[in-house]
Amino acid sequence: MTRKEEFEYNNTDFPLTPFSKVTTEAISWNESMSETNHTMVTEFIFLGLSNSQELQIFLFVFFLVFYVGIVFGNLLIVITVASDSHLQSPMYFLLANLSLIDLCLSSVTAPKMIADFFSKCKVISFKGCFAQIFLLHFFGGSELVILIAMAFDRYVAICKPLRYTTIMRGNVCVGIVAVAWGTGFLHSVSQLAFAVNLPFCGPNEVDSFHCDLPRVIKLACTDTYRLDIMVIANSGVLTVCSFVLLIISYTVILMTIQYLPSERSSKAMSTLTAHITVVLLFFGPCIFIYAWPFPIKSLDKFLAVFYSVVTPLLNPIIYTLRNKDMKTAMRRLRKWNMNSRIKS
């Protein structure tokens, strides 16, 4: 006999007073909370990308090569920009920060995904799962601001060249980067403010290779309709509005380029092509994951892989292949490294 039944049994000879009704409800609530605490989720299980052992070995090699490329490519850009005096301009300062964020963004999910290919049970702790969500949105929000800043940098350089050095001063660039990291932090906190206190007392299987808010909140033991709307309103609207703003900015820049001399216009077009390609690679998956109202599991999983592993590798390739100054600086860095080895 439960405490509630015992209480009601012992009081059957007496009429129920308001106090007794409140006491009965309190006992019932305490019992339900006790049961919930006993079944509280302490870890989540990833279903991963595939159940096939042969395919998992192939994916392990494939993503390991990709991740090594991400680390090497993005670190190379950061080191090249930091060490070469010819690249001390706002555009390359922002590019170095973009590469650093790409490296951090990929490192949130890729190492765990690669290690899990040889794990029968792909487990992550409750705190680890929400730490992953926080870091994903922190670096993702920061990258979004950096991409907007890079578009603004190109707009000033091409449309207002005489005022470029005045507008894009050193302290302005440092301020932009600080705003980017601060925006990423605020975005992450706003995403987790309500989700972290949700009751998780039942299913704990995440149909992905990492934790992300849209998938995890579906496992909560409560109605998450309002939270789904909040995710769309926060991440979805922010992503779509930023993407539209960037497209308008680059359209204005492209229209301005038409009136430039052929030599300047070809160089500007080469730089803009790289920027626009990176914007499309970053925002395309984000819009489908966070703003598309009819999610498709298989597509979402593919886009998550593209967003967290493929894009951070393509960014340094795009910027180095399309930029003569970067290629020249890397050759100087390689020569300096070879000369230093010969001398030692």
Side-chain angles (χ1 to χ4, degrees):
M1 184 181 292
T2 65
R3 288 168 60 197
K4 180 181 174 183
E5 290 170 343
E6 185 180 350
F7 179 85
E8 291 177 348
Y9 175 79
N10 292 334
N11 291 276
T12 50
D13 297 332
F14 304 98
L16 285 173
T17 64
F19 174 77
S20 64
K21 286 181 180 178
V22 170
T23 309
T24 305
E25 291 174 359
I27 292 171
S28 175
W29 184 82
N30 284 330
E31 286 182 352
S32 65
M33 286 302 294
S34 178
E35 290 175 9
T36 300
N37 289 335
H38 284 302
T39 58
M40 190 67 70
V41 169
T42 58
E43 62 185 22
F44 293 97
I45 300 171
F46 296 139
L47 298 184
L49 297 175
S50 173
N51 293 324
S52 169
Q53 188 64 34
E54 293 78 11
L55 184 57
Q56 289 197 62
I57 294 171
F58 168 76
L59 291 174
F60 169 79
V61 175
F62 182 78
F63 286 118
L64 181 62
V65 171
F66 261 58
Y67 185 63
V68 170
I70 289 167
V71 174
F72 177 77
N74 286 291
L75 278 180
L76 181 61
I77 287 179
V78 172
I79 293 168
T80 303
V81 172
S83 61
D84 198 298
S85 59
H86 298 85
L87 300 180
Q88 302 304 307
S89 67
M91 184 181 79
Y92 294 110
F93 176 73
L94 294 173
L95 174 59
N97 277 275
L98 177 67
S99 294
L100 181 62
I101 291 172
D102 273 337
L103 175 59
C104 295
L105 182 63
S106 182
S107 297
V108 173
T109 58
K112 170 69 175 166
M113 176 184 66
I114 292 167
D116 279 346
F117 284 126
F118 289 107
S119 301
K120 290 184 179 179
C121 191
K122 302 169 176 57
V123 177
I124 187 170
S125 68
F126 183 88
K127 290 182 179 179
C129 182
F130 277 91
Q132 235 185 22
I133 294 172
F134 176 84
L135 291 173
L136 271 176
H137 287 272
F138 173 56
F139 293 122
S142 301
E143 182 160 345
L144 185 147
V145 178
I146 291 292
L147 289 172
I148 293 173
M150 291 176 78
F152 177 72
D153 172 75
R154 291 300 85 201
Y155 169 78
V156 176
I158 294 169
C159 300
K160 300 181 183 296
L162 298 178
R163 299 180 59 191
Y164 181 74
T165 53
T166 306
I167 296 173
M168 299 300 293
R169 300 187 307 275
N171 56 348
V172 171
C173 294
V174 172
I176 288 172
V177 172
V179 168
W181 292 95
T183 302
F185 178 78
L186 291 175
H187 172 63
S188 284
V189 170
S190 67
Q191 290 286 83
L192 292 184
F194 302 103
V196 75
N197 291 319
L198 285 173
F200 292 92
C201 54
N204 67 336
E205 291 185 340
V206 181
D207 189 12
S208 186
F209 61 92
H210 74 283
C211 287
D212 200 5
L213 206 55
R215 291 187 183 276
V216 172
I217 61 175
K218 287 183 178 8
L219 303 176
C221 304
T222 185
D223 182 20
T224 59
Y225 175 76
R226 290 183 179 179
L227 198 56
D228 288 330
I229 297 299
M230 187 275 292
V231 170
I232 293 174
N234 189 331
S235 294
V237 172
L238 181 65
T239 303
V240 172
C241 290
S242 300
F243 180 68
V244 171
L245 177 65
L246 283 168
I247 292 300
I248 293 171
S249 300
Y250 283 121
T251 302
V252 172
I253 296 170
L254 288 170
M255 290 173 67
T256 306
I257 286 175
Q258 294 178 358
Y259 301 100
L260 295 176
S262 58
E263 191 174 318
R264 279 189 62 196
S265 64
S266 60
K267 185 178 180 181
M269 183 62 74
S270 177
T271 305
L272 281 181
T273 303
H275 282 236
I276 293 169
T277 305
V278 169
V279 166
L280 293 174
L281 289 173
F282 177 80
F283 281 94
C286 288
I287 289 171
F288 275 100
I289 292 172
Y290 298 109
W292 190 251
F294 311 107
I296 303 169
K297 284 186 178 181
S298 57
L299 179 61
D300 279 0
K301 200 179 288 189
F302 168 77
L303 291 173
V305 170
F306 196 87
Y307 169 76
S308 59
V309 180
V310 179
T311 301
L313 177 64
L314 292 178
N315 284 358
I317 294 173
I318 291 167
Y319 280 115
T320 52
L321 291 179
R322 300 287 302 181
N323 193 299
K324 291 180 181 179
D325 293 337
M326 278 298 298
K327 287 190 283 188
T328 305
M330 285 180 180
R331 281 195 290 268
R332 281 196 295 264
L333 182 64
R334 187 176 61 184
K335 278 185 181 179
W336 176 84
N337 188 35
M338 289 174 64
N339 291 334
S340 61
R341 284 183 180 181
I342 292 170
K343 288 178 182 179
S344 60

